[in-house]
Amino acid sequence: MRMGIDLGGTKIEAVVLDDTGSVRFRERVPTPQGDYAGTLAAIGGLVARAERAVGQTCTVGIGTPGAISPASGLMKNSNSTVLNGKPLKQDLEQLLGREIRMANDANCFALSEAVDGAAAGAEVVFGVIVGTGCGAGVVVRGHALTGPNAIAGEWGHNPLPWPTDEERPGPACYCGKHGCIETWLSGTGLANVFVAETGERLQAPGIVARAEAGDAVCEAALQRYEDRMARSLAHVINILDPDVIVLGGGMSNVRRLYDNVPKLWGRYVFSDRVATRLLAPLHGDSSGVRGAAWLWSM
Ligand SMILES: [Zn+2]
């Protein structure tokens, strides 16, 4: 059986899938904050409990924020910054006593949705996680692209396209630049931009709920968010021309995005019409962890 582990900023989830893709085990634990050794121990505990529960040794695939640098073998680009510069794959292989496969969490998400999710059957899939951060993965004919720099799909750290004067230079990003797409489109970014634009501190779910209830300030904030997402995805469509874009992460639960964003992106895409589909994830929050398990089917 295949075990997938999704190492996230707030939680670590493990599932065991059988050959049909059915879930035989599932458990979530909180991510030890800022604690590398504790994170390794938490993963070790999950693997041990999962294998006890299913009664056999499993293949282990892990989805993480960031990527393994091909140059150094160390983690880089992770918004869980405690992982950066650490030999996470080697440490886990030593801890678990076996070879593991590891991929960026957004690549795992895109792979899961392309294998047996919302984008099943599509040739080119761009999978975006808009949650705490904003990452993306590219799957072409069932294979997640990595690239020589291990950054394929890292669109969250491109600058917001077609910025207005008010949007420049944009919020500071942990990567050292300003105005990264992640600082506008992640759930955290939406909340930060909202307080900067309105003076009121409100988290993303609160902004969405109040817009639904008819609050004009929140409605206007979400309309600006939708236009920023349309601009950001139009850049991707111009370069990659994917058949399907799948959203994941907390913001993927905002249903209005699937109608409103495609209505807006036509004015930015360099085409007379846009056939790209913007879809909600089929496996929801489980996509990352399922894609990690499927790393052993590629
Ligand atoms: Zn950035």
Side-chain angles (χ1 to χ4, degrees), residues 156-158 173-183:
H157 297 277
N158 286 5
C173 183
Y174 75 89
C175 76
K177 303 221 169 33
H178 279 77
C180 291
I181 287 170
E182 172 166 307
T183 67

PDB file of all heavy atoms in Angstrom, residues 156-158 173-183, ligand 1:
ATOM      1  N   GLY A 156       3.716  31.826  -7.419  1.00  0.00           N
ATOM      2  CA  GLY A 156       3.341  32.683  -6.298  1.00  0.00           C
ATOM      3  C   GLY A 156       4.364  33.753  -5.978  1.00  0.00           C
ATOM      4  O   GLY A 156       4.052  34.723  -5.289  1.00  0.00           O
ATOM      5  N   HIS A 157       5.590  33.575  -6.490  1.00  0.00           N
ATOM      6  CA  HIS A 157       6.622  34.586  -6.237  1.00  0.00           C
ATOM      7  C   HIS A 157       6.993  35.349  -7.498  1.00  0.00           C
ATOM      8  O   HIS A 157       8.042  35.977  -7.577  1.00  0.00           O
ATOM      9  CB  HIS A 157       7.829  33.960  -5.525  1.00  0.00           C
ATOM     10  CG  HIS A 157       7.386  33.450  -4.188  1.00  0.00           C
ATOM     11  ND1 HIS A 157       7.279  34.265  -3.090  1.00  0.00           N
ATOM     12  CD2 HIS A 157       6.894  32.242  -3.823  1.00  0.00           C
ATOM     13  CE1 HIS A 157       6.778  33.560  -2.078  1.00  0.00           C
ATOM     14  NE2 HIS A 157       6.541  32.327  -2.499  1.00  0.00           N
ATOM     15  N   ASN A 158       6.093  35.322  -8.478  1.00  0.00           N
ATOM     16  CA  ASN A 158       6.115  36.322  -9.542  1.00  0.00           C
ATOM     17  C   ASN A 158       5.329  37.532  -9.024  1.00  0.00           C
ATOM     18  O   ASN A 158       4.435  37.381  -8.190  1.00  0.00           O
ATOM     19  CB  ASN A 158       5.413  35.813 -10.810  1.00  0.00           C
ATOM     20  CG  ASN A 158       6.247  34.793 -11.566  1.00  0.00           C
ATOM     21  OD1 ASN A 158       7.297  34.381 -11.117  1.00  0.00           O
ATOM     22  ND2 ASN A 158       5.743  34.397 -12.719  1.00  0.00           N
ATOM     23  N   CYS A 173       7.210  40.350   1.025  1.00  0.00           N
ATOM     24  CA  CYS A 173       7.067  38.896   1.037  1.00  0.00           C
ATOM     25  C   CYS A 173       8.249  38.281   1.776  1.00  0.00           C
ATOM     26  O   CYS A 173       9.344  38.845   1.767  1.00  0.00           O
ATOM     27  CB  CYS A 173       7.002  38.384  -0.396  1.00  0.00           C
ATOM     28  SG  CYS A 173       6.736  36.607  -0.542  1.00  0.00           S
ATOM     29  N   TYR A 174       8.058  37.114   2.378  1.00  0.00           N
ATOM     30  CA  TYR A 174       9.166  36.471   3.105  1.00  0.00           C
ATOM     31  C   TYR A 174      10.334  36.137   2.187  1.00  0.00           C
ATOM     32  O   TYR A 174      11.469  35.933   2.638  1.00  0.00           O
ATOM     33  CB  TYR A 174       8.680  35.203   3.827  1.00  0.00           C
ATOM     34  CG  TYR A 174       8.445  34.012   2.923  1.00  0.00           C
ATOM     35  CD1 TYR A 174       9.480  33.124   2.643  1.00  0.00           C
ATOM     36  CD2 TYR A 174       7.207  33.783   2.335  1.00  0.00           C
ATOM     37  CE1 TYR A 174       9.281  32.036   1.803  1.00  0.00           C
ATOM     38  CE2 TYR A 174       7.001  32.707   1.495  1.00  0.00           C
ATOM     39  CZ  TYR A 174       8.039  31.834   1.231  1.00  0.00           C
ATOM     40  OH  TYR A 174       7.842  30.777   0.390  1.00  0.00           O
ATOM     41  N   CYS A 175      10.087  36.079   0.850  1.00  0.00           N
ATOM     42  CA  CYS A 175      11.167  35.745  -0.087  1.00  0.00           C
ATOM     43  C   CYS A 175      12.113  36.919  -0.303  1.00  0.00           C
ATOM     44  O   CYS A 175      13.138  36.774  -0.971  1.00  0.00           O
ATOM     45  CB  CYS A 175      10.584  35.285  -1.425  1.00  0.00           C
ATOM     46  SG  CYS A 175       9.938  36.615  -2.464  1.00  0.00           S
ATOM     47  N   GLY A 176      11.762  38.081   0.244  1.00  0.00           N
ATOM     48  CA  GLY A 176      12.642  39.233   0.137  1.00  0.00           C
ATOM     49  C   GLY A 176      12.173  40.273  -0.875  1.00  0.00           C
ATOM     50  O   GLY A 176      12.731  41.363  -0.943  1.00  0.00           O
ATOM     51  N   LYS A 177      11.158  39.931  -1.678  1.00  0.00           N
ATOM     52  CA  LYS A 177      10.661  40.867  -2.668  1.00  0.00           C
ATOM     53  C   LYS A 177       9.335  41.480  -2.194  1.00  0.00           C
ATOM     54  O   LYS A 177       8.801  41.108  -1.162  1.00  0.00           O
ATOM     55  CB  LYS A 177      10.466  40.143  -3.992  1.00  0.00           C
ATOM     56  CG  LYS A 177      11.759  39.479  -4.494  1.00  0.00           C
ATOM     57  CD  LYS A 177      11.934  39.656  -5.960  1.00  0.00           C
ATOM     58  CE  LYS A 177      13.306  39.272  -6.475  1.00  0.00           C
ATOM     59  NZ  LYS A 177      13.982  38.168  -5.792  1.00  0.00           N
ATOM     60  N   HIS A 178       8.827  42.400  -2.998  1.00  0.00           N
ATOM     61  CA  HIS A 178       7.527  43.017  -2.706  1.00  0.00           C
ATOM     62  C   HIS A 178       6.535  42.657  -3.808  1.00  0.00           C
ATOM     63  O   HIS A 178       6.912  42.524  -4.967  1.00  0.00           O
ATOM     64  CB  HIS A 178       7.642  44.542  -2.636  1.00  0.00           C
ATOM     65  CG  HIS A 178       8.165  45.040  -1.335  1.00  0.00           C
ATOM     66  ND1 HIS A 178       9.508  44.979  -0.997  1.00  0.00           N
ATOM     67  CD2 HIS A 178       7.524  45.595  -0.256  1.00  0.00           C
ATOM     68  CE1 HIS A 178       9.674  45.491   0.210  1.00  0.00           C
ATOM     69  NE2 HIS A 178       8.489  45.873   0.684  1.00  0.00           N
ATOM     70  N   GLY A 179       5.264  42.571  -3.429  1.00  0.00           N
ATOM     71  CA  GLY A 179       4.196  42.449  -4.421  1.00  0.00           C
ATOM     72  C   GLY A 179       4.075  41.076  -5.054  1.00  0.00           C
ATOM     73  O   GLY A 179       3.440  40.933  -6.102  1.00  0.00           O
ATOM     74  N   CYS A 180       4.665  40.047  -4.435  1.00  0.00           N
ATOM     75  CA  CYS A 180       4.502  38.685  -4.969  1.00  0.00           C
ATOM     76  C   CYS A 180       3.019  38.316  -5.001  1.00  0.00           C
ATOM     77  O   CYS A 180       2.240  38.731  -4.130  1.00  0.00           O
ATOM     78  CB  CYS A 180       5.221  37.679  -4.079  1.00  0.00           C
ATOM     79  SG  CYS A 180       7.013  37.828  -4.133  1.00  0.00           S
ATOM     80  N   ILE A 181       2.643  37.510  -5.998  1.00  0.00           N
ATOM     81  CA  ILE A 181       1.259  37.044  -6.113  1.00  0.00           C
ATOM     82  C   ILE A 181       0.779  36.448  -4.792  1.00  0.00           C
ATOM     83  O   ILE A 181      -0.353  36.666  -4.370  1.00  0.00           O
ATOM     84  CB  ILE A 181       1.156  36.041  -7.286  1.00  0.00           C
ATOM     85  CG1 ILE A 181       1.259  36.802  -8.617  1.00  0.00           C
ATOM     86  CG2 ILE A 181      -0.133  35.229  -7.213  1.00  0.00           C
ATOM     87  CD1 ILE A 181       1.408  35.911  -9.841  1.00  0.00           C
ATOM     88  N   GLU A 182       1.674  35.712  -4.111  1.00  0.00           N
ATOM     89  CA  GLU A 182       1.296  35.101  -2.833  1.00  0.00           C
ATOM     90  C   GLU A 182       0.824  36.130  -1.810  1.00  0.00           C
ATOM     91  O   GLU A 182      -0.081  35.854  -1.025  1.00  0.00           O
ATOM     92  CB  GLU A 182       2.483  34.302  -2.267  1.00  0.00           C
ATOM     93  CG  GLU A 182       2.259  33.783  -0.860  1.00  0.00           C
ATOM     94  CD  GLU A 182       3.273  32.729  -0.432  1.00  0.00           C
ATOM     95  OE1 GLU A 182       3.441  31.746  -1.178  1.00  0.00           O
ATOM     96  OE2 GLU A 182       3.876  32.878   0.636  1.00  0.00           O
ATOM     97  N   THR A 183       1.444  37.317  -1.820  1.00  0.00           N
ATOM     98  CA  THR A 183       1.069  38.323  -0.820  1.00  0.00           C
ATOM     99  C   THR A 183      -0.310  38.915  -1.100  1.00  0.00           C
ATOM    100  O   THR A 183      -0.890  39.556  -0.237  1.00  0.00           O
ATOM    101  CB  THR A 183       2.099  39.474  -0.737  1.00  0.00           C
ATOM    102  OG1 THR A 183       2.070  40.221  -1.966  1.00  0.00           O
ATOM    103  CG2 THR A 183       3.504  38.954  -0.478  1.00  0.00           C
TER     104      THR A 183
HETATM  105 ZN    ZN B   1       7.702  36.245  -2.617  1.00  0.00          ZN
END
